[in-house]
Amino acid sequence: MVRKRVLTPVMIREVILHGQDRLGLVSIVPEKRIRNIYGLDGKPMADHYSWVRTQEEMIKKVQTFDHKSDLNWISLIENQFSQDFNGTDFINGYEYEIV
């Protein structure tokens, strides 16, 4: 999270050209930065849940995001939703424990 008021047009341009997406934004902000913030339970206070969506939401996402031409996303999503989740995601191969 970055305070919008600290961003200038030049900084925004630097972020766009940085090549590391969100990390680029964090790297150019002049204010004090804190990364990897954990709660009292030792778990992250915020995380990135971009793929936690319904099938329809995921299809819309892959039709409009920057990597839309990388893979046949719609086929992968339809295949994923045609069966029960097996604990491994089809994007990065991460393994999850269902709780």
Side-chain angles (χ1 to χ4, degrees):
M1 291 183 268
V2 176
R3 289 186 181 107
K4 188 175 180 180
R5 67 176 167 77
V6 303
L7 297 176
T8 66
V10 171
M11 293 168 76
I12 293 169
R13 182 176 178 274
E14 287 180 34
V15 169
I16 292 169
L17 298 175
H18 189 275
Q20 289 189 342
D21 300 323
R22 293 171 205 88
L23 185 58
L25 182 61
V26 172
S27 68
I28 67 164
V29 173
E31 292 188 350
K32 180 179 177 183
R33 298 176 296 273
I34 301 172
R35 296 181 60 188
N36 301 326
I37 300 172
Y38 298 92
L40 297 176
D41 61 358
K43 295 181 180 178
M45 291 182 67
D47 209 331
H48 185 71
Y49 294 103
S50 68
W51 292 95
V52 180
R53 302 167 187 257
T54 65
Q55 181 175 356
E56 294 77 22
E57 291 169 335
M58 288 179 70
I59 289 173
K60 183 177 180 180
K61 173 191 172 83
V62 301
Q63 289 175 329
T64 58
F65 79 152
D66 196 37
H67 301 282
K68 63 185 172 196
S69 300
D70 291 0
L71 296 170
N72 185 349
W73 294 106
I74 294 175
S75 175
L76 291 168
I77 291 167
E78 289 173 344
N79 182 54
Q80 181 66 51
F81 277 87
S82 71
Q83 57 195 333
D84 289 336
F85 182 60
N86 66 6
T88 303
D89 78 58
F90 68 91
I91 301 157
N92 297 304
Y94 298 148
E95 294 183 14
Y96 297 89
E97 179 182 346
I98 299 172
V99 295

